[in-house]
Amino acid sequence: MAPAEFEPLPKGGSGPELEGLPEGTAPRASRLFRSRQFLFFLAALLGLTGISALYGLDTARHTLYATQHKPSTGFRPSNCGPAERLAKCPSGLPPLASPPAKINPWASLTISDTVAISEWLADPARSLNLTRGDKAVLSDNFIYHIEAYRPAKKDALAYLDHPDTFGPPERFARVTLHHGAAEDPYVMDYLVGPLPVSQQTKIKELTEIYHRGTIPYNARGFTTLGELTPLLAQLMPPLADVTEDLFGGSARGLPNDTLVGAIMAPLSFDGSFRRGWVSWRRNTPGPWLHPVNFFQYVDFSGTDPSQWKLLKLVYNHQVFNSSEAFLAAYHDGTLKRLPERPDQDPAAGGWSTRKRPETSTARDLDYLPGPRSVSFGGLRFRVDRAAQYVSWMGWGMYLGFDRDMGLSLWDIRFKNERIIYELAPQEAIAQYAGNDPMQTTTAWLDRFFGMGSAVRDMIPGYDCPHEAVYLPATTHSFEGSIVRSRAICIFEHDPARPITRHTGYSEGEFGATHGYQLVVRSISTVGNYDYLFDYIFQIDGTIEVRLSASGYLQGGYWEPAQEGYGTAIRETTMGSLHDHVINYKVDLDVAGTKNSLLFTSTAQETITQPWFEDDWGSEVIQQKISKTFIENEDDALLKFPPNFQGGYSLVNRDAKNRWGIPRGYAIHPGYSPIYNTVVGSKRLLNNANWARYNLAVSKRKETERSSSCQWNLNLPGDPIIDFHKFFDGENITQEDLVAWVNVGMHHLPQAEDSPNTRTNLAASSFFLTPLNYFDADVSMDSKNSILLSAPQKAGDPWSFDDYGVAPVNCIPDSVPPFEYVGVQTYGLDGKPAAPTTAEEMRKSAELYHRIKLEL
């Protein structure tokens, strides 16, 4: 009989449930008789008696095998016999989860929340003199950003651990205001709450989490999508005829412009100015791979565009202090022109698209769809959509989402014990090298652009398996709100590798356990780069945190002078050398909140023992373990030792396992455990000090919530958050500790990075894994295991015990037709916004990475 909850297929054996089978084909278990009829008919019709004989031989062989292998603990027949019809698989919807507390303390604000906050702030009683963000100019006061402000840890834990005694923490919002109308314009963060808005709601400056008071206006985030247009509209049209002659492109502010710009960062050192190099590229798909070796250094400090100006212009390594000087050199013949190159033809730009090349040769059987994952027994993870809570195989976690860094995980528990309070990305840097004004001055901190706001809907079946469950996310800006229905995907994954196994011959030695994993994923596209954030949960209590990258390189103009700074990937395009480093906050609570930092290492030793008096001499050279507790924050800025002969873990010295060893969790390096190569550059002087290490451990404080912030990009000399100031000599023995862990890659580009970087190579990870936390391997709990026993009689088959978890045979649901809708946008009034064109979507997504001149 079919297992419970399985729905039998309708008689006739056809319909959408039979996806992948020829039309009119019945399930295998009910078509045996008709298959024989068909084969015998075919044999008679064609006279192919050999085929008939082979079919009869094969059937006889399988019948004999089934007769010899009687049902027992060592053999189980299919759960769908010849007389039974194959059933339809269970629903692809996840069962409902049961979170520890019904309300998610880290939930994002709703659209109605932000509308109410905006209206409250705009009330004349607040005296803020606000202009609507979608109507504001630089010299106005306006709301730049609104998002949830996470509660204090003690308040969240009180509620989570005793939800029947304590209510959820009060809700507050972090609101960023641009005070452009002030005599000395500035940016300020405020705390607004409690929420929802009521008579009790107050506003106060939020400064305790930062190392500076007000935020310089020159370090502000992007304010309008065309912020640089007033200046570039003055600079580029007068040069159009010359740029057309020099490199076949121009920017006149017309719809058919053939050049687009991009400005590099940081734009300031300490907030006293706002300047940057504009690099011009061809306006073609994948413009990042089509530089033309033409640059302008512009000053757009302050709020008055009439005061903005060109400071320098560089073409082919020739520096001019004005457009007029450049034009004069062009007209008098002293300008050194770049040589003609084949791919300077705009019509030859198809190589930078994702279209399958026409010259591609077909791969054998590539016309068939590849394998896909199906949970034949039904999904084994649970989801509470309202609470944004997920559970699987003893794991449980709440999800959060914000504008700056996107997906975060909270209150991660395993086997009913909290392991991690907060697991969240903090910042992502990319520092470049080159022999031109663009690459040498670029040191991105992508939090500036909003890695959460840069999340778009994922591509079903490609970014995540077909059976993945998607969760939405909402972010808010000065223009309104964006809702993505497929911002986060969750799926169970079979890595096709047992987590443990052994081939043995004594009783209980031989067996294996499936290494199933749960993956929680989000993807952020920041201009040219795509970042895949994966949190991979395993059945032994291990979490792998993995970051993969794809998308387009920030290409430079290839010429011999660029040798050593990258690799030619086309006649005039190079992939530029750069480092990626991404920082994560890991607030581990190992058997409680009181933890210590343990360094465990190995080293070689030479010893003598009396029993060594033998043929090998009296000495033995071997290795030995050393354990040291690091007790001071100042000693906790860490790099992994050479040859990885050592590692770091957080342990609770007051909580021991059965064997008397402190329970702990190790921070284990995974793929590409790197830190930033360059130290001392003014463009990363103090705004990303965390990138100098593999990891660091500090005492947890509510005032040290993040290692970075949006404005750090443009304040390397005097950042809003200076990570090194977290480390002020405090004792970290049996304290609530936070680990700041880095992943990344030294990206030495190659031709295969064109058109897009591959996620298999551009990946980095770390593991959080039990270290004597348990008394033994808890993956042995899993019933998805098999135990084999040797035959009692020589020649008999091995018997086995699969703990009652046998493979399930059923027909999965059809894969729905592909559809990609994209995000839903809402205005500042909370009402759905009118649909926008692809060009408008592109402008809001790519920002300073692609500036299309508009008059």
Side-chain angles (χ1 to χ4, degrees), residues 39 69 111 135 301 320 419 480 554 578 721:
L39 286 173
H69 295 78
I111 294 175
K135 305 293 183 184
S301 306
F320 303 93
I419 304 294
Q554 178 178 296
H578 59 284
I721 294 179

Side-chain angles (χ1 to χ4, degrees), residues 736-751:
D736 193 358
L737 303 181
V738 172
W740 310 88
V741 187
N742 291 331
V743 298
M745 62 178 294
H746 304 304
H747 197 162
L748 283 66
Q750 56 197 60

